[in-house]
Amino acid sequence: MAKIIKKKFFEIDLPLIGTKFEALSNSVEELNNKTVKIDMTRQLKGKGVEIIFNVKTADGKAIGHPKKLTLVSSFIKHMLHTGIDYVEDSIMAETKENAVIIKPFLITRKKVSRAVRRTLRNSAKNWLIDYLKTKTNDEVFTDILSNQLQKPLSMKLKKTYPLAICEIRVFAVKKPLSVK
């Protein structure tokens, strides 16, 4: 006869957002390589953001490392209206630790020409690639959550055309950089 093991709640520490999360499992080791999705909308005063954490266990403790940050589509739809243009891009870049994908999302104040949109896209791409080279993953996640990445980017792009919104729609860690 098989013994039934009762599941318990185990704490997962999420140092990026400074909170703890409880997950139901048989043991702490069973939580290794699991993912946890946290909705940060309330903490960020209505800015719809979801973060996916990858859980790693060590010494009987579970720690969540950020894997992907996404701006919720309903937040984006709420910001779009007629008489404006938006600019999107998908950029493969490198931080100090990993290869990442970052997707900026820019909304102009009025309709603009294709040339202005292209200039905004290229300027954002060059600025973001230079910015990411000097930062670690955790620093970038923290900067996006505290608007420390979007504000200087918006100021840089303001010289081309003033933006209504400058956000990072997706920031995802893809793979570790190969050791040279």
Side-chain angles (χ1 to χ4, degrees):
M1 188 164 143
K3 185 177 178 185
I4 298 173
I5 300 171
K6 189 174 182 183
K7 289 188 177 189
K8 296 188 287 187
F9 281 101
F10 291 98
E11 236 176 37
I12 301 171
D13 189 31
L14 305 173
L16 175 73
I17 56 177
T19 59
K20 295 187 184 309
F21 181 79
E22 289 189 338
L24 194 61
S25 176
N26 290 328
S27 68
V28 175
E29 286 72 33
E30 202 175 275
L31 291 172
N32 198 24
N33 291 328
K34 298 284 185 195
T35 57
V36 175
K37 184 189 272 189
I38 304 288
D39 185 13
M40 295 291 295
T41 305
R42 286 191 179 270
Q43 290 88 334
L44 298 175
K45 299 182 178 96
K47 181 176 163 184
V49 173
E50 287 181 343
I51 305 177
I52 297 175
F53 290 92
N54 199 9
V55 179
K56 298 285 183 198
T57 56
D59 303 328
K61 290 187 176 184
I63 299 174
H65 300 285
K67 181 176 156 186
K68 185 175 183 179
L69 182 140
T70 310
L71 206 59
V72 180
S73 62
S74 61
F75 176 78
I76 293 171
K77 287 177 187 171
H78 181 71
M79 295 297 144
L80 293 175
H81 54 85
T82 55
I84 61 162
D85 275 327
Y86 67 92
V87 180
E88 290 182 306
D89 199 4
S90 180
I91 305 164
M92 281 292 291
E94 293 178 352
T95 61
K96 283 183 177 178
E97 310 163 320
N98 295 69
V100 296
I101 288 181
I102 188 164
K103 297 182 181 183
F105 183 76
L106 315 170
I107 297 178
T108 61
R109 293 177 189 255
K110 302 269 189 230
K111 290 252 184 223
V112 294
S113 68
R114 190 180 296 159
V116 171
R117 292 194 307 255
R118 184 182 65 238
T119 306
L120 285 170
R121 187 179 302 111
N122 291 339
S123 298
K125 181 177 185 174
N126 294 336
W127 190 89
L128 284 169
I129 288 172
D130 292 341
Y131 179 87
L132 292 173
K133 282 180 192 171
T134 63
K135 302 283 184 176
T136 64
N137 296 341
D138 287 344
E139 288 173 336
V140 176
F141 277 107
T142 306
D143 288 352
I144 292 172
L145 289 175
S146 63
N147 246 17
Q148 297 298 312
L149 188 149
Q150 296 96 313
K151 190 146 177 81
L153 176 59
S154 180
M155 292 299 169
K156 166 88 170 95
L157 298 176
K158 192 181 204 179
K159 294 171 185 162
T160 306
Y161 189 86
L163 298 173
I165 290 181
C166 175
E167 286 294 339
I168 301 301
R169 193 168 59 82
V170 174
F171 180 74
V173 176
K174 283 300 169 192
K175 60 182 182 208
L177 292 176
S178 56
V179 180
K180 295 174 185 172

